[in-house]
């Protein structure tokens, strides 16, 4: 045990100089994974593992090697805590207690609730806003296509809506070109993360950058129109809340109860923001509809 503790102290001191995460560089973890794979992930042992693995785990793609990494992660975490060290990360992530096949159950549930809130408000929008409203098809059709990919699409969709609202109603060709640019950016972003390397640092920087564009653009439009359009106050609140809540993503702490981390808290906190944002879109679309009808009457 003293030898293991010494290795932990040595590793903690060299953490800033080496690549990877502290936990998966720990020799105890690596030896555990290697031994587990040798005993369970080949020949008859592998067949035995597959026979007792729940069907939902195999359908989700959990392999014997993944299971070894998961079990050895907790062995290493237990050793760290026993020796009085801080909980380490493994492969760029904090250790989470797995539920069914979900590696991060709280984030998964919060993401589902986020999507459900967006779906409910989108259905409400379609119910209360006539299809003749200038913003109707922008808010509905494009949202359905963009909402399937990743969190970055939410910000890009918001930027697209801002472009339509500030420029596109008078210059539709500009919006078409800007939409193509956003889709190209999204394709490159998702392709890099999916096919080349899932870089958490790059993903964070990219989201912060497009988030700042989103905030500045919407706030500028809101401040310019605050006297003429009282409902833009809702948009201001949404933008400021999202910017404030995004600071949660910058926090870095081990998950509470091995389930709830800063990312999951951010997802949960943004659920009511969707409701307020769609309320703004509803008010603004109805305003634009009334404005267009008034112009038609004058003509």
């Amino acid at each position: 045990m003293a030898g293991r503790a010494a290795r932990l102290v040595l590793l903690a001191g060299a953490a800033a100089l080496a690549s990877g995460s502290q936990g998966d560089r720990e020799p105890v973890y690596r030896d555990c994974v290697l031994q587990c794979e040798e005993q369970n992930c080949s020949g008859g042992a592998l067949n035995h593992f597959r026979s007792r693995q729940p069907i939902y785990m195999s359908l989700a793609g959990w392999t014997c090697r993944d299971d070894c990494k998961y079990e050895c992660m907790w062995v290493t975490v237990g050793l760290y805590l026993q020796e009085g060290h801080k909980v380490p990360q493994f492969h760029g992530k904090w250790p989470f207690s797995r539920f069914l096949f979900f590696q991060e159950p709280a984030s998964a549930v919060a993401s589902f609730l986020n999507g459900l809130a967006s779906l409910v408000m989108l259905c409400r929008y379609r119910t209360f806003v006539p299809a003749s409203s200038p913003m109707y098809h922008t808010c509905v059709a494009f949202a359905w296509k963009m909402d399937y990919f990743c969190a970055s699409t939410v910000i890009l969709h918001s930027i697209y809506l801002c472009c339509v609202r500030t420029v596109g109603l008078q210059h539709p060709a500009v919006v078409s070109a800007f939409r193509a640019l956003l889709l190209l950016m999204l394709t490159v972003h998702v392709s890099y993360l999916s096919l080349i390397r899932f870089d958490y640092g790059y993903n964070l920087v990219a989201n912060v950058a497009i988030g700042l564009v989103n905030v500045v653009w919407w706030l500028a439009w809101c401040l310019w129109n605050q006297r003429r359009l009282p409902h833009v106050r809702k948009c201001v609140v949404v933008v400021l809340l999202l910017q404030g809540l995004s600071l949660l993503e910058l926090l870095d702490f081990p998950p509470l109860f091995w389930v709830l981390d800063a990312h999951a808290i951010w997802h949960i906190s943004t659920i009511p923001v969707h409701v307020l944002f769609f309320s703004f879109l509803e008010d603004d679309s109805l305003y634009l509809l009334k404005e267009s009808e008034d112009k038609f009457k004058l003509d």
Side-chain angles (χ1 to χ4, degrees):
M1 184 61 69
R4 288 185 176 182
R7 280 187 290 176
L8 289 175
V9 173
L10 179 62
L11 180 64
L17 302 177
S19 59
S21 297
Q22 184 170 334
D24 56 80
R25 291 196 311 269
E26 165 59 40
V28 172
Y29 171 80
R30 294 187 175 188
D31 292 344
C32 176
V33 172
L34 182 61
Q35 183 178 1
C36 177
E37 289 181 346
E38 290 176 349
Q39 293 179 351
N40 301 293
C41 299
S42 61
L46 179 59
N47 293 331
H48 177 68
F49 168 81
R50 290 172 176 170
S51 66
R52 62 184 176 83
Q53 184 184 35
I55 184 66
Y56 57 82
M57 294 290 287
S58 59
L59 290 176
W62 278 88
T63 65
C64 180
R65 177 175 172 80
D66 294 329
D67 206 61
C68 284
K69 288 181 177 179
Y70 179 77
E71 297 298 336
C72 291
M73 175 185 72
W74 289 114
V75 170
T76 308
V77 168
L79 180 60
Y80 265 74
L81 294 176
Q82 183 178 344
E83 298 297 330
H85 299 285
K86 294 181 179 180
V87 176
Q89 289 188 341
F90 294 82
H91 305 286
K93 294 182 178 181
W94 293 109
F96 288 88
S97 181
R98 185 176 66 194
F99 176 72
L100 297 179
F101 54 83
F102 294 105
Q103 180 76 20
E104 301 179 28
S107 290
V109 172
S111 297
F112 171 77
L113 293 177
N114 256 296
L116 183 61
S118 296
L119 178 62
V120 169
M121 293 306 297
L122 185 59
C123 292
R124 172 187 166 87
Y125 180 90
R126 297 181 67 183
T127 301
F128 288 96
V129 178
S132 56
S133 171
M135 287 289 289
Y136 179 87
H137 294 288
T138 299
C139 294
V140 175
F142 198 64
W144 282 109
K145 296 176 184 177
M146 293 283 280
D147 196 45
Y148 282 100
F149 295 103
C150 59
S152 302
T153 62
V154 176
I155 308 175
L156 290 175
H157 185 217
S158 178
I159 293 176
Y160 174 72
L161 288 177
C162 190
C163 177
V164 173
R165 186 62 180 90
T166 57
V167 179
L169 297 180
Q170 294 79 28
H171 306 282
V174 175
V175 171
S176 297
F178 190 68
R179 179 175 62 237
L181 175 62
L182 290 180
L183 288 174
L184 177 62
M185 290 173 57
L186 178 64
T187 301
V188 172
H189 180 70
V190 173
S191 298
Y192 175 75
L193 293 177
S194 303
L195 304 177
I196 300 177
R197 180 188 175 209
F198 196 90
D199 189 329
Y200 290 94
Y202 155 75
N203 188 51
L204 178 62
V205 171
N207 285 331
V208 168
I210 61 176
L212 288 175
V213 173
N214 181 59
V215 168
V216 171
W217 199 344
W218 271 117
L219 281 183
W221 179 80
C222 289
L223 294 175
W224 183 264
N225 294 278
Q226 60 179 339
R227 294 184 179 179
R228 187 170 61 91
L229 306 174
H231 60 268
V232 301
R233 296 172 184 172
K234 294 181 180 180
C235 184
V236 172
V237 174
V238 167
V239 171
L240 294 179
L241 277 177
L242 282 178
Q243 191 66 12
L245 292 173
S246 65
L247 296 177
L248 288 171
E249 290 280 46
L250 302 179
L251 298 178
D252 199 25
F253 56 85
L256 304 175
F257 310 109
W258 307 118
V259 172
L260 197 63
D261 68 333
H263 183 66
I265 295 174
W266 176 79
H267 269 302
I268 295 171
S269 302
T270 55
I271 292 174
V273 178
H274 290 294
V275 177
L276 186 59
F277 184 58
F278 272 97
S279 176
F280 157 73
L281 291 179
E282 182 180 324
D283 292 344
D284 196 53
S285 297
L286 292 174
Y287 164 79
L288 289 173
L289 177 62
K290 183 177 183 303
E291 185 181 52
S292 63
E293 290 176 345
D294 292 341
K295 288 182 179 179
F296 180 76
K297 290 177 182 179
L298 290 176
D299 294 339

